[in-house]
Amino acid sequence: MACSVPAIGGTRAALAQNWPSQPIRLVVPFAPGGTTDLVARLVAAGLQERLGVSVVVENRAGAGATVGSEMVARAAPDGTTLVMSNIASHGISPSVYRGRIRYDAVTDFTHIALVITNPTVWVANRNSGIRTLADAVARARSASGLDVATSGAGSSNHLMVVRMGQLVGKELNHIPFRGAGPAMQAVIAGQVAMMSDSLPSASSHIRQGSVVPVAMASAERHPSFPDVPTFREQGFDLASDSWFGLSGPAGMPAPIVERLHRETMAFVSAPDIRARFAELGGTPGAMTPAAYTEFIRSEVAQWAPLVQASGATAD
């Protein structure tokens, strides 16, 4: 008698029905201490409470956030391995690392939810003598030049450094780190004069006075930091928002995606989380999985010509 073989669809349906039945791994493609890591830990705590299983954050930094992202792209699409997709890993690095990246930012992932957006802020070491962009420009045009740290090559903060150098007419010295945390510590210690960072990871250091906020890359002054002038106020037409979301490997069962999206949206809509995001300088996201997928597709298309025009590379 021939043995019956379960249909693939039936297996996927059973998988979705029993999910979640084991711990979930949430990969952060940056080192601890940056915005991606900070947001991921908030999301992990919220999902753990709502799903009733452990959600463990795992930092896998490297190559403009592509190392951790590739690992997730190659994982089983069973809902146990997720990634904090972001503007670097899924928007800019596909162009910066063209020919070297081994995943498609759109088709190799199941995009679940946009979690938060926020502007870029430039901060300086307290003893650097830099208080304004005019001070930074003067340093850039000096014999020593201006060193600016970022969380790594391929980030929007990296391209801000490139673009600022173009506007100044003098290339700035980009100093990439393996995450915003190590970069910020280097600025605080005086090893690097300035940093181009996402506001949530810089916000606590600004409030504590451990760094000097120099300029906000937002259209208007940020309501949580009204004393920080914008780039435009200081004569430079620069504005940049970063974004962070939740994604998994391509091919995840629709019921799991729908559940993850529903629980994530419920989490980011909670009054205490909205207040926490506002304190950090971020705005909660609100997109369906389909909308988030199309958003990432548009980001890849938008950044590609800008990366090419800037000459930014992973080297």
Side-chain angles (χ1 to χ4, degrees):
M1 180 180 296
C3 296
S4 61
V5 179
I8 294 177
T11 302
R12 289 166 60 85
L15 171 67
Q17 185 176 6
N18 296 328
W19 185 91
S21 59
Q22 55 185 299
I24 296 171
R25 176 174 55 166
L26 178 53
V27 175
V28 174
F30 287 107
T35 299
T36 316
D37 182 69
L38 176 62
V39 173
R41 293 180 188 280
L42 290 172
V43 170
L47 288 179
Q48 179 168 295
E49 180 178 353
R50 301 187 68 85
L51 295 175
V53 297
S54 296
V55 181
V56 181
V57 173
E58 181 177 326
N59 296 88
R60 288 293 185 97
T66 65
V67 171
S69 300
E70 181 185 337
M71 184 182 74
V72 174
R74 296 176 180 274
D78 57 6
T80 63
T81 304
L82 305 172
V83 64
M84 287 304 299
S85 45
N86 57 82
I87 190 172
S89 62
H90 288 74
I92 299 174
S93 284
S95 296
V96 174
Y97 288 82
R98 184 178 297 277
R100 296 166 57 184
I101 193 171
R102 293 186 289 180
Y103 62 79
D104 184 291
V106 178
T107 61
D108 286 340
F109 295 87
T110 299
H111 297 298
I112 300 163
L114 176 66
V115 175
I116 187 174
T117 61
N118 58 263
T120 293
V121 62
W122 279 31
V123 299
N125 172 267
R126 293 175 57 186
N127 300 317
S128 67
I130 298 174
R131 297 293 182 273
T132 66
L133 287 180
D135 297 333
V137 170
R139 177 73 62 85
R141 290 173 175 162
S142 69
S144 60
L146 177 64
D147 293 342
V148 184
T150 73
S151 58
S155 64
S156 58
N157 296 318
H158 172 196
L159 290 189
M160 282 283 290
V161 175
V162 173
R163 182 57 182 150
M164 186 64 176
Q166 292 173 337
L167 294 177
V168 170
K170 178 67 180 297
E171 182 178 355
L172 308 185
N173 303 324
H174 176 228
I175 312 296
F177 284 79
R178 291 173 62 86
M184 181 62 75
Q185 290 306 313
V187 173
I188 293 173
Q191 298 167 354
V192 185
M194 294 194 75
M195 181 176 178
S196 175
D197 195 13
S198 294
L199 182 56
S201 63
S203 60
S204 63
H205 302 286
I206 294 173
R207 294 184 192 280
Q208 293 165 8
S210 52
V211 293
V212 177
V214 175
M216 194 79 70
S218 49
E220 300 177 348
R221 292 200 182 198
H222 198 282
S224 297
F225 297 89
D227 295 333
V228 183
T230 66
F231 275 80
R232 288 172 176 168
E233 284 182 82
Q234 298 182 69
F236 296 92
D237 189 14
L238 281 178
S240 176
D241 282 334
S242 294
W243 49 266
F244 308 84
L246 190 66
S247 301
M252 288 176 58
I256 294 179
V257 176
E258 292 165 5
R259 175 84 186 279
L260 277 168
H261 178 264
R262 184 171 66 252
E263 301 296 1
T264 302
M265 288 298 95
F267 161 73
V268 301
S269 299
D272 59 330
I273 296 302
R274 294 183 71 88
R276 176 60 174 149
F277 279 4
E279 179 185 347
L280 294 171
T283 302
M287 289 184 184
T288 64
Y292 186 40
T293 300
E294 288 308 308
F295 171 75
I296 291 178
R297 192 189 307 277
S298 69
E299 285 287 286
V300 173
Q302 171 184 301
W303 284 105
L306 296 177
V307 170
Q308 183 176 5
S310 71
T313 67
D315 299 323

